[in-house]
Amino acid sequence: ASQWRWSVVAMEPADEWNPKDGDGWDFEDKWRDEKHHYFVFTNAGKPVFSRHGDEADLGSYFALMYALLSVAEDEGDQLECVDTDFNRTVFAKEGPLYLVNVAPKQVPEAAARRHLRLLYKQLLAILTKGVEKTLVKRPGYDVRSLLGGTRSILASLLDSFSKNPGYALGAMESLVWPSEMRRGAEAAVLAVAVPGAMCCMLLHNGRVVGLAEAKSCLFPVDDILLLSNFVTSGASLRELENFSPICMPTYNPNSFLYVYVTYFGEETCLVVVSNMAEVFERLTSLRPKVENILNASKITHGLMHEAQMTIHIDDIPALAGGGAIGSTPLWHFLHVHKPSQQYVKCEYRPPLYSASAREEVCAVYQRMYFDVHSRRSVRTSAKPEYQVSDRFVTLVLLGTEFELYLICDPLTDQTTAMRVGNLLGNWLRTQEPLLYCSRKVFRL
């Protein structure tokens, strides 16, 4: 079987046509202006989820996508991607579910496909694979009745794809912390490593600052990313203490575990995953102890000054490639620490400060990552990847324990970019104890 890949060129917007006119297509301008769309429907054509708009109002779109996929499958083929001058539509199939992403062409196809896979896993985190068994027996079943009030969880994940490159890179975002606070975070998560606990995390605004896992059940990074999104995007979980069922879809997609969530302030939360419902009372009794640890380590105070918890290029020594705007060709960078599967990125500053520029930077990092890793699959050497565009120069440096992605002034030559990259990489290596939390392991 072949894979269908269509390219539609020379398309121009038809100003004289209004999709609100006739055919029952009653959409708001805001819906049509959204740049990123995600659709999920069953192999019987039943709508499951749309990121924007109500599924009931999008029947014509769901029917069209279902028809395209059905025609391809009837001929023994598989529709993978459709390109136009403006957008790229990527199709994926997971069991009895179809997933579709429509996004600007600056988003790499590989990144879009990775995002669809994570969307599917987030659905499993809410429903488990039991939903697939239901659809096999009852193809016309309306899955929306099972999703309940989880739309905010799915929407938060999808909106993060254009802001947080970690989802595409398979890495958790970390914060810059002094050693005293880092030790306090580690003590806090180890304090709740009680019998029945499988994973203990301390998060701030969705970023990991403390992590401890049971030796017998280390969770894949995708599950930790989806867990972080699950506990930080649901408003109901921010109230006092909560205990909720959750599936860790990569670890075991067929059954539920339990997650304990309690917040300290508005953005800092403790998360414990367990296979025992009885552990809730024990964790509740330990909450005051954790709060005392956080206060003693000045973590509560420190988290109130988030600007101090990120890297600013202005504060990086000139001998490490940093400096004020105009004194260094470095515009932005992202550093991945492979052993911990975490990353940090510097603060945005002009000319990459606007919301649109930040989204462009996120897409560039995704392209750089997938370009490099696709090439590495056919060669063994880890050569630097230097590319020039009208907007900026990009450079990727790869090591056994790190990946460094740089965005520089468009006039930067390769020699200068390499010099800045090597200086910055050496400096970041000395800062790793402040940048990344160690993944502690405990025995059940």
Side-chain angles (χ1 to χ4, degrees), residues 6 20 31 93-94 101 105 122 166 178 194 205 229 234 238 248 252 258 262 291 324 351 359 367 370 419 433:
W6 296 346
K20 292 185 177 183
W31 185 90
K93 185 178 182 181
E94 298 285 354
N101 168 235
K105 290 186 71 173
Q122 189 76 82
V194 298
N205 197 21
N229 178 69
R238 295 176 178 270
M248 305 298 274
N252 181 1
Y258 303 94
T262 183
E291 190 166 19
E359 185 172 323
R367 175 186 57 75
F370 285 107
R419 178 181 60 81

Side-chain angles (χ1 to χ4, degrees), residues 135-363:
L135 289 172
V136 170
K137 295 178 181 178
R138 301 167 60 187
Y141 185 78
D142 190 351
V143 178
R144 290 176 294 178
S145 62
L146 300 177
L147 291 175
T150 60
R151 175 173 286 271
S152 63
I153 296 173
L154 299 174
S156 172
L157 176 71
L158 300 178
D159 290 347
S160 296
F161 289 159
S162 60
K163 304 172 185 176
N164 182 351
Y167 285 103
L169 275 61
M172 303 169 282
E173 187 172 7
S174 183
L175 282 174
V176 182
W177 270 22
S179 57
E180 179 183 6
M181 294 171 64
R182 189 72 72 190
R183 288 194 297 269
E186 292 175 355
V189 294
L190 289 174
V192 290
V194 298
M198 303 171 71
C199 176
C200 311
M201 291 196 302
L202 190 68
L203 300 174
H204 173 66
N205 197 21
R207 288 173 285 187
V208 59
V209 292
L211 179 61
E213 302 166 278
K215 185 176 182 179
S216 59
C217 50
L218 301 177
F219 290 130
V221 68
D222 279 4
D223 286 353
I224 296 178
L225 288 169
L226 296 173
L227 172 64
S228 300
N229 178 69
F230 182 91
V231 302
T232 57
S233 58
S236 61
L237 294 179
R238 295 176 178 270
E239 301 173 1
L240 298 177
E241 297 171 284
N242 286 273
F243 203 59
S244 172
I246 188 172
C247 171
M248 305 298 274
T250 312
Y251 177 75
N252 181 1
N254 297 306
S255 63
F256 281 114
L257 299 173
Y258 303 94
V259 58
Y260 167 84
V261 183
T262 183
Y263 270 78
F264 302 89
E266 294 185 0
E267 298 295 345
T268 309
C269 68
L270 178 70
V271 181
V272 181
V273 178
S274 173
N275 56 5
M276 299 168 52
E278 299 78 13
V279 80
F280 178 78
E281 292 184 4
R282 175 67 174 145
L283 294 172
T284 298
S285 68
L286 288 172
R287 189 184 188 282
K289 179 180 179 180
V290 173
E291 190 166 19
N292 289 335
I293 293 174
L294 298 181
N295 290 334
S297 305
K298 302 179 181 179
I299 288 178
T300 306
H301 171 75
L303 290 176
M304 295 173 63
H305 300 83
E306 187 172 334
Q308 302 172 6
M309 307 301 163
T310 53
I311 303 175
H312 297 258
I313 295 179
D314 304 62
D315 299 331
I316 297 175
L319 292 178
I325 296 175
S327 66
T328 173
L330 182 63
W331 281 7
H332 202 270
F333 71 85
L334 182 150
H335 183 265
V336 179
H337 185 246
K338 293 182 181 179
S340 65
Q341 294 180 296
Q342 298 168 42
Y343 81 94
V344 292
K345 64 180 188 296
C346 66
E347 272 293 300
Y348 292 94
R349 66 177 187 176
L352 302 177
Y353 191 73
S354 67
S356 59
R358 297 182 187 204
E359 185 172 323
E360 181 182 13
V361 167
C362 184

Side-chain angles (χ1 to χ4, degrees), residues 79-99:
L79 181 58
E80 292 280 323
C81 181
V82 175
D83 280 355
T84 72
D85 281 351
F86 317 106
N87 296 319
R88 172 175 289 127
T89 303
V90 177
F91 300 85
K93 185 178 182 181
E94 298 285 354
L97 294 175
Y98 291 115
L99 302 97

Side-chain angles (χ1 to χ4, degrees), residues 363-379:
V364 168
Y365 283 137
Q366 294 171 8
R367 175 186 57 75
M368 294 163 71
Y369 173 83
F370 285 107
D371 280 354
V372 168
H373 285 268
S374 64
R375 294 187 187 122
R376 290 189 71 189
S377 64
V378 296
R379 61 176 172 80

